[in-house]
């Protein structure tokens, strides 16, 4: 009986693990299908001054920090600032704003690169500062922020192919999801800036929060690695639904084999038990 109980317990645990894996694979297939449909139906556009009010509403909804009303129009009117957004059914759902300069930095880039942790003896030839990067909450975890970030990096790399580039950005210390995404993209934490963000709304008292300074240096010789990373990311996103379906198909016969094996072992044990009982009676 003890042997039969051990086999039954092993079979039960195996079935539970297989069922959990199948649920996980189904969820991956559903999420991948939703992400693929969303990405194929997205509209890529460059916002202009006419979209200042829409950009301001987007920033108020996504970012806790507040910016001056005149800043949006000035940013959109500037030709030296990179701007790109994703639209879903006419609504802006993701936005990136950045700027790049050679040697003579703009005020925002100078502020980003003025950390004491940065080595002043090795000043980058090209500095690019990511001012804004955000996605509306219902559309997160679909890779939209990564795509916008890669687009900005690719634009800067193509604009300055023979120079080394360093990308800078600030992120709030409590934004763990953004920090994980930046780490996956090769950014390193340089320093912490106390009381960098102000979360206060309207005329409320200041609500100052700390921020991390992240940086990523790209050398001309590493462009092939950046391209390989982009290709691998695209290949992974395209093959993930197919891979999930193949795994689910392969697991089904394995489950059948385990059931058949369990039934065979159970019937064999029953026969052995009956023979033992009969021998005792004789």
């Amino acid at each position: 009986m003890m042997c039969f109980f051990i086999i039954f317990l092993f079979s039960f645990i195996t079935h539970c693990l297989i069922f959990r894996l199948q649920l996980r694979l189904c969820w991956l297939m559903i999420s991948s299908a939703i992400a693929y449909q969303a990405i194929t139906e997205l509209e890529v556009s460059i916002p202009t001054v006419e979209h200042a009010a829409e950009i301001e509403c987007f920033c108020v909804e996504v970012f806790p920090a507040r910016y001056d009303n005149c800043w949006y129009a000035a940013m959109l009117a500037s030709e030296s600032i990179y701007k790109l957004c994703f639209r879903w059914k006419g609504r802006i759902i993701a936005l990136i704003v950045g700027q790049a300069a050679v040697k003579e930095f703009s005020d925002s880039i100078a502020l980003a690169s003025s950390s004491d942790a940065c080595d002043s003896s090795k000043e980058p030839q090209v500095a690019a500062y990511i001012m804004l990067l955000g996605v509306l909450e219902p559309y997160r975890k679909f890779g939209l922020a990564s795509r916008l970030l890669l687009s900005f990096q690719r634009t800067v790399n193509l604009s300055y192919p023979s120079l080394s580039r360093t990308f800078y950005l600030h992120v709030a210390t409590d934004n763990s999801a953004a920090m994980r995404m930046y780490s996956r993209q090769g950014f390193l934490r340089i320093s912490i800036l106390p009381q960098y963000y102000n979360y206060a709304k309207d005329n409320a008292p200041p609500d100052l929060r700390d921020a991390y300074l992240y940086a990523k240096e790209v050398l001309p010789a590493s462009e092939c690695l950046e391209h390989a990373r982009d290709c691998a990311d695209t290949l992974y996103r395209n093959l993930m639904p197919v891979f999930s379906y193949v795994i689910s198909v392969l697991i089904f016969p394995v489950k059948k084999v385990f059931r058949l094996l369990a039934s065979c072992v159970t019937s064999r044990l029953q026969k052995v038990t009956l023979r033992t009982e009969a021998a005792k009676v004789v």
Side-chain angles (χ1 to χ4, degrees):
M1 291 298 294
M2 180 61 68
C3 183
F4 173 77
F5 176 75
I6 293 176
I7 294 176
F8 172 79
L9 183 62
F10 174 77
S11 177
F12 177 76
I13 295 175
T14 304
H15 282 45
C16 291
L17 292 176
I18 293 176
F19 180 71
R20 181 179 179 182
L21 181 60
Q22 287 179 335
L23 289 179
R24 179 62 177 170
L25 291 175
C26 291
W27 169 249
L28 288 175
M29 291 178 63
I30 294 174
S31 59
S32 300
I34 294 175
Y36 179 77
Q37 180 183 5
I39 290 174
T40 54
E41 297 182 6
L42 283 179
E43 177 186 354
V44 183
S45 63
I46 300 176
T48 59
V49 181
E50 290 76 11
H51 305 110
E54 187 179 5
I55 295 295
E56 182 177 358
C57 294
F58 173 85
C59 292
V60 169
E61 184 175 355
V62 174
F63 304 109
R66 296 293 179 259
Y67 302 90
D68 295 334
N69 296 334
C70 59
W71 179 83
Y72 297 100
M75 177 268 294
L76 294 172
S78 176
E79 296 182 357
S80 62
I81 296 180
Y82 178 87
K83 305 168 287 287
L84 191 68
C85 67
F86 285 144
R87 291 181 178 272
W88 171 257
K89 297 181 179 179
R91 182 188 182 189
I92 295 179
I93 63 172
L95 171 71
I96 186 171
V97 177
Q99 187 176 13
V102 181
K103 292 184 179 179
E104 296 180 359
F105 303 153
S106 64
D107 294 339
S108 59
I109 295 177
L111 177 62
S113 59
S114 62
S115 173
D116 296 335
C118 297
D119 188 3
S120 59
S121 62
K122 188 181 178 182
E123 185 178 6
Q125 292 176 293
V126 176
Y129 180 61
I130 301 170
M131 303 177 187
L132 298 176
L133 177 59
V135 181
L136 291 179
E137 187 173 359
Y139 305 95
R140 293 173 185 173
K141 297 183 179 181
F142 289 147
L144 300 181
S146 299
R147 290 175 178 271
L148 289 176
L149 183 59
L150 291 174
S151 176
F152 176 63
Q153 295 182 38
R154 189 179 298 111
T155 301
V156 175
N157 293 338
L158 294 177
S159 301
Y160 309 97
S162 60
L163 302 177
S164 61
R165 286 87 61 186
T166 303
F167 297 87
Y168 296 97
L169 59 89
H170 292 100
V171 59
T173 55
D174 57 351
N175 194 349
S176 58
M179 288 187 284
R180 287 194 299 269
M181 190 269 292
Y182 294 136
S183 299
R184 289 196 301 267
Q185 296 298 328
F187 283 81
L188 299 177
R189 184 186 302 175
I190 301 300
S191 64
I192 184 172
L193 302 177
Q195 301 181 352
Y196 182 80
Y197 288 114
N198 184 11
Y199 285 7
K201 299 180 180 180
D202 299 331
N203 297 325
D207 183 11
L208 302 179
R209 305 293 180 91
D210 299 341
Y212 289 123
L213 173 64
Y214 277 73
K216 174 184 178 181
E217 186 175 4
V218 180
L219 301 176
S222 61
E223 289 184 0
C224 56
L225 297 178
E226 289 293 319
H227 181 67
R229 177 181 291 182
D230 296 348
C231 294
D233 181 70
T234 304
L235 184 64
Y236 171 78
R237 295 181 182 280
N238 292 335
L239 293 182
M240 188 61 196
V242 179
F243 179 76
S244 301
Y245 176 76
V246 171
I247 292 297
S248 62
V249 171
L250 292 177
I251 286 180
F252 182 77
V254 174
K255 185 177 179 181
K256 289 292 185 181
V257 170
F258 271 103
R259 287 182 176 177
L260 180 61
L261 180 62
S263 62
C264 292
V265 173
T266 303
S267 61
R268 183 63 178 174
L269 287 176
Q270 290 178 352
K271 291 181 179 179
V272 171
T273 304
L274 292 176
R275 291 178 182 177
T276 305
E277 295 294 335
K280 290 181 179 179
V281 173
V282 174

